[in-house]
Amino acid sequence: MTPTATPTRREQILKEAARLFAERGFHGVGVDEIGAAVGISGPGLYRHFAGKDAMLAELLVGISEQLLEGGRQRTEAADRTAPEAVLDSLIAGHIDFALDDRPLITLHDRELDRLRDADRKRVRRLQRQYVELWVEAVRRLYPEFDEPAARATVHAVFGLLNSTPHLGRPGALPGRAGMSELLHRLARGAFAAGAGAPTRG
């Protein structure tokens, strides 16, 4: 989730719910525990959310909306005459998400099927639109990619970048800047390899 200077109570609740759901599973966490994590009573949460299902839906739909909107903004802000800048900006934005919002990656993997049909379909639709931003950027930089291969490679790179929850204890990894740089090199290398282009050192 995108941090703000002063998180609202609603944002605090969502952040703690994401952390607890990711650590212990959706059914392993009670409303009282989420409330305690933000310093309010469990019943007090109902002033902000109808229940845990509503929190989960807002978390998963919300991050899908943020990724798509952020991707659009980065694409528009990057120099459209320089395809490399567009792709690098998309990669950098997704790396920020992968490093800063790891619980949401875990939640998506484990709990997406718990959403109502309408919410799950919305998430999938937003994700498809996000993928297509990347496919366009990849094919502009690597015209040799046909569309199916570009799309498959984008999904593979997402798998790489979204592996951050499984990379071990934070102390066992490079610092944030080092990890960000490493993931960026790996992503660019994957795209170059998929296109059959020489990789850069």
Side-chain angles (χ1 to χ4, degrees):
M1 302 173 62
T2 303
T4 58
T6 306
T8 66
R9 179 51 59 93
R10 188 180 183 88
E11 289 168 340
Q12 292 171 346
I13 292 168
L14 287 173
K15 181 178 179 180
E16 290 304 316
R19 179 182 65 81
L20 290 167
F21 291 159
E23 287 177 357
R24 292 160 47 192
F26 181 74
H27 287 304
V29 178
V31 170
D32 288 343
E33 294 166 280
I34 299 171
V38 294
I40 62 177
S41 67
L45 288 180
Y46 293 107
R47 292 196 296 269
H48 302 276
F49 296 96
K52 291 197 306 177
D53 289 339
M55 293 179 210
L56 182 64
E58 185 154 337
L59 284 165
L60 295 181
V61 173
I63 192 56
S64 298
E65 290 174 336
Q66 289 176 35
L67 283 171
L68 177 58
E69 181 58 26
R72 286 172 171 163
Q73 291 176 0
R74 285 174 173 274
T75 297
E76 291 169 4
D79 183 353
R80 294 305 300 267
T81 64
E84 187 171 22
V86 175
L87 183 58
D88 278 337
S89 185
L90 286 173
I91 292 171
H94 199 96
I95 288 172
D96 284 343
F97 158 67
L99 292 176
D100 297 337
D101 290 306
R102 298 184 197 190
L104 291 178
I105 296 174
T106 301
L107 271 190
H108 180 276
D109 290 345
R110 291 181 184 169
E111 312 290 0
L112 181 62
D113 287 344
R114 297 192 189 281
L115 295 183
R116 295 179 309 166
D117 281 349
D119 289 329
R120 187 168 60 253
K121 288 176 181 177
R122 188 177 178 191
V123 168
R124 294 299 194 194
R125 182 174 64 252
L126 292 164
Q127 290 174 337
R128 285 194 297 270
Q129 292 174 306
Y130 183 57
V131 167
E132 293 312 306
L133 280 180
W134 283 67
V135 170
E136 180 184 354
V138 168
R139 295 190 72 203
R140 288 185 67 231
L141 182 57
Y142 299 110
E144 56 270 38
F145 261 125
D146 63 26
E147 192 169 306
R151 189 171 294 109
T153 308
V154 167
H155 281 290
V157 168
F158 285 173
L160 167 69
L161 299 180
N162 291 346
S163 68
T164 52
H166 313 291
L167 295 180
R169 302 186 315 278
L173 302 174
R176 192 191 187 286
M179 196 66 210
S180 177
E181 182 181 346
L182 174 60
L183 288 171
H184 203 116
R185 288 201 313 270
L186 290 170
R188 282 299 303 272
F191 285 125
T199 56
R200 298 185 306 170

